[in-house]
Amino acid sequence: MLLKRCGFAALAVCLGFTVAKGDVTPNSLFSDNAVIQRDCPVPVWGTARDGEKVVVEFAGQKVSTAAKEGKWLVRLAPMPADVKPQTMRIRGEANEIEVKNLLIGDVWVAGGQSNMERQLGPRRPQKDIEGWKEAAENADYPEIRQYFVQERFATKPVDDARGAWAVCTPKAARQFTAVGFFFARDVYLAEKVPVGILFSAWGGTEAEAWMSPTTLSGMPAFAEALKALPQSSDRRKAYLEALERWYRDYDLGDEAKENWAASALDPKDWKPAKLPVMFSKEFDGLIWFRKEIDLDESWADKVGVVSLGPIDDADTTWVNGHRVGGVDSWSLEREYTIPAGVLKAGKNVIVVRVLNKAKTGGFVGQAEQMKLSKSGEPAVSSVSLAGEWLAKKSLSANELKSLPKERGGVNQHFPSALYNAMLAPLQPFPIKGAVWYQGEANNDRPKEYRNLFPELIADWRRGWAVGDFPFLFVQIAPYKDMTPELREAQFLTLAKSPNTAMVVTADVGDAEDIHPARKEPVGTRLALAARALAYGERLEYSGPLYESMKIEGGNAIISFTHRGGGLVAERGELKGFTIAGADKKFVPAKAVIKGDTVVVSSDEVASPTAVRYGWANVPDVNLFNKDGLPASPFRTDVE
């Protein structure tokens, strides 16, 4: 993105540009490499001085408006898909911005919790994604792009997600959402149109965190929590202030004591450490890390960005003795702006204080995420920060008992907190549809989820206001702690929410790992659903779904939708079925495919009343259709 002001290029910061107060600025969704949704009106918006005239030119269109209360919005007429890169020009009265390399295609939201958040490349301590290396090596898809929404929460809707677009290359694909990457790849190869992914996910988060206050306020279970949201913000602020006081009182390296962040400090008693690193007993508690780097004259007085990847749990970061940032949240990627005048030619010192409150922690990202760069300049000019550092322990883990406790402050689990910060700013950017992988965090409330999840879908559709767009979701995978009742709640959502599809993962889970390594089948099945629902292809996109039961003597005859080319049992006879009579005592059953039905029976049940399939945390099942898609677990006796 290039910004021109009075005939010269302005300095670029964070998203590729910075402007003087009052200059015209587009929302970060309209930054270099973006994908613009085809075949529908496209709003373009941003900020400017109140009353300033703003002109937007793109794809042969020219529209203008005047900013009101510091904001502006124009609408472009619908445009067909176009793989040719184009430039959008946004002009105010004092500056002009060029947003380059834009494509017109289809935009999909990729949302949910950790199984959507998980990137394609390695992520310690999780298992590697199966086949990730080959997938990344072949990921030369310049017409696939991802907009990464920074993980943050808010007590009220924010205007800008502060994200950036990345073009899919073998290197960049490592940081794409794995499920989203496989989905986008297969959609692109099938439809031959540019695909943009709005990647907005956060591990371990509940559905209600992703829903608007307007919707949740009508649900009694969340109304009281929403009323407390402003007070929660105050409690969060009070906690962070208490944490700062704690550092001053207890941290041996705090500036109030020895000031280990000082550039001139002699680190003779610091020990070597290689980053990134997961903490062991040696690195546990409150640890300081220090790295000296030599920079040439081209860095002097530049605005810089120090990137460190996610740090578990909290960090404080200094560059040449200047505090540039700090976050108290274990999963957020650290990316801090270094003001002009801080970096210099010659020796520069980066210091990071890391607080690991419990269990595992440390620098939990990848080596390529740790870098120093010049804001707004190509990545080739960046300097890697991975490798050799120095470390010094301030406090051990058992000395952290005096840490302040966060008491009910707003966080990523709070109702609407993620909607406010990570979804609201994406609206009204037009989209083709959404893919969603979440539910694990609501596992203990499956009956509530029956209503909550359909309300989430309706809530998102109201927010984007583009109709009942395709909403494609993943049924949670088999895992020892995931209950069948939650899968049932997801299955029941299909009947409550139109234009939806559910991907079954009964064959690709991991009983011992909530993050199964097989993500490609998930993305591929989501893409099948998209090709059918969003693009109108005549293909089977779902495994068999329970439709009805008929009792004939001692047999229960089960009918299914989405039989595809026919029902099949993978690897032997059918398994996973149980049957019960009026006493509701379920016993293992014999199940046989007969035509388009499955006939279920047991010598122990003379008069069956109910059948269940895959009704376990980790179901052992093998009913598929001939299209290779597994049947969803179900029970006929839905409570």
Side-chain angles (χ1 to χ4, degrees), residues 167-235:
V167 177
C168 185
T169 65
K171 183 177 180 180
R174 290 171 164 230
Q175 297 305 319
F176 276 44
T177 157
V179 169
F181 165 78
F182 290 122
F183 166 79
R185 181 198 65 184
D186 286 7
V187 167
Y188 169 72
L189 292 175
E191 306 302 327
K192 299 298 188 293
V193 296
V195 177
I197 294 292
L198 303 180
F199 177 22
S200 185
W202 193 330
T205 54
E206 296 82 356
E208 58 266 27
W210 297 96
M211 298 171 65
S212 73
T214 301
T215 294
L216 289 181
S217 62
M219 305 177 71
F222 305 106
E224 290 302 314
L226 288 174
K227 290 179 182 178
L229 197 56
Q231 292 81 9
S232 295
S233 180
D234 293 339
R235 286 194 291 269

Side-chain angles (χ1 to χ4, degrees), residues 45 73 120 150 212 218 267 284 298 337 515 531 542 556:
W45 69 95
L73 183 149
L120 182 64
Q150 296 185 38
S212 73
D284 202 5
S298 68
T337 299
H515 305 115
R531 290 167 60 189
S542 172

Side-chain angles (χ1 to χ4, degrees), residues 259 261-267 290 292 320-321 347 349:
N259 193 14
S263 297
L265 183 78
D266 182 2
R290 181 183 184 93
E292 293 184 4
N320 291 336
K347 187 183 82 169
V349 179

Side-chain angles (χ1 to χ4, degrees), residues 154-480:
T155 58
K156 58 184 178 180
V158 302
D159 293 327
D160 198 318
R162 303 189 305 207
W165 288 92
V167 177
C168 185
T169 65
K171 183 177 180 180
R174 290 171 164 230
Q175 297 305 319
F176 276 44
T177 157
V179 169
F181 165 78
F182 290 122
F183 166 79
R185 181 198 65 184
D186 286 7
V187 167
Y188 169 72
L189 292 175
E191 306 302 327
K192 299 298 188 293
V193 296
V195 177
I197 294 292
L198 303 180
F199 177 22
S200 185
W202 193 330
T205 54
E206 296 82 356
E208 58 266 27
W210 297 96
M211 298 171 65
S212 73
T214 301
T215 294
L216 289 181
S217 62
M219 305 177 71
F222 305 106
E224 290 302 314
L226 288 174
K227 290 179 182 178
L229 197 56
Q231 292 81 9
S232 295
S233 180
D234 293 339
R235 286 194 291 269
R236 174 71 177 173
K237 181 180 178 181
Y239 163 73
L240 294 176
E241 290 173 349
L243 184 60
E244 286 298 317
R245 291 192 297 270
W246 181 86
Y247 282 132
R248 289 197 299 270
D249 292 340
Y250 294 96
D251 180 12
L252 301 179
D254 191 79
E255 62 184 357
K257 299 181 180 65
E258 297 185 25
N259 193 14
W260 293 354
S263 297
L265 183 78
D266 182 2
K268 61 183 179 181
D269 57 343
W270 292 48
K271 297 180 180 180
K274 185 169 287 187
L275 301 184
V277 64
M278 291 286 289
F279 283 176
S280 62
K281 289 184 178 180
E282 180 182 5
F283 294 141
D284 202 5
L286 184 62
I287 313 294
W288 287 70
F289 295 88
R290 181 183 184 93
K291 187 177 184 69
E292 293 184 4
I293 55 173
D294 286 319
L295 301 175
D296 60 34
E297 291 287 347
S298 68
W299 290 82
D301 298 324
K302 289 284 187 177
V303 174
V305 178
V306 56
S307 303
L308 301 169
I311 296 176
D312 187 355
D313 290 291
D315 78 294
T316 317
T317 300
W318 293 263
V319 177
N320 291 336
H322 295 264
R323 183 167 173 167
V324 295
V327 172
D328 179 42
S329 184
W330 65 271
S331 64
L332 294 181
E333 290 194 30
R334 272 54 171 183
E335 189 168 281
Y336 304 127
T337 299
I338 306 169
V342 174
L343 294 175
K344 58 187 179 181
K347 187 183 82 169
N348 291 260
V349 179
I350 300 173
V351 177
V352 184
R353 175 176 62 191
V354 178
L355 173 61
N356 181 37
K357 302 173 187 177
K359 299 181 181 179
T360 58
F363 291 77
V364 296
Q366 303 304 311
E368 57 265 30
Q369 293 175 278
M370 299 187 65
K371 60 188 176 181
L372 178 69
S373 55
K374 301 171 188 174
S375 182
E377 296 194 16
V380 292
S381 66
S382 63
V383 174
S384 174
L385 298 179
E388 297 299 327
W389 286 60
L390 295 174
K392 187 173 182 178
K393 181 178 291 187
S394 172
L395 297 171
S396 63
N398 60 13
E399 293 176 303
L400 301 182
K401 297 177 181 178
S402 57
L403 264 174
K405 305 295 183 190
E406 186 169 3
R407 302 185 184 281
V410 64
N411 55 37
Q412 68 268 31
H413 305 290
F414 211 90
S416 296
L418 300 185
Y419 178 92
N420 289 335
M422 298 177 66
L423 277 183
L426 304 181
Q427 301 163 352
F429 196 76
I431 61 172
K432 184 73 170 180
V435 291
W436 174 257
Y437 196 160
Q438 189 275 340
E440 298 92 336
N442 291 89
N443 183 55
D444 60 340
R445 294 174 283 143
K447 284 190 176 180
E448 180 184 74
Y449 202 76
R450 291 185 190 180
N451 182 51
L452 189 65
F453 186 31
E455 286 291 343
L456 180 146
I457 295 171
D459 183 52
W460 282 31
R461 287 170 170 170
R462 285 190 293 268
W464 263 280
V466 290
D468 287 346
F469 57 76
F471 195 103
L472 319 174
F473 59 92
V474 182
Q475 191 178 55
I476 59 170
Y479 173 63
K480 61 185 180 181

Side-chain angles (χ1 to χ4, degrees), residues 12-91:
V13 178
C14 291
L15 298 173
F17 64 96
T18 186
V19 293
K21 186 176 181 180
D23 282 349
V24 168
T25 307
N27 188 281
S28 65
L29 285 160
F30 303 95
S31 53
D32 292 350
N33 308 317
V35 177
I36 305 298
Q37 179 60 44
R38 62 170 168 161
D39 300 335
C40 68
V42 177
V44 182
W45 69 95
T47 59
R49 187 181 66 252
D50 195 31
E52 183 171 5
K53 182 180 179 181
V54 180
V55 180
V56 176
E57 296 181 63
F58 182 66
Q61 301 185 52
K62 183 177 181 179
V63 291
S64 62
T65 189
K68 295 181 180 180
E69 297 180 351
K71 299 179 181 180
W72 57 269
L73 183 149
V74 299
R75 294 187 185 276
L76 300 171
M79 298 166 282
D82 196 338
V83 300
K84 180 182 178 181
Q86 300 185 64
T87 297
M88 178 182 291
R89 291 177 172 83
I90 304 171
R91 187 172 67 252

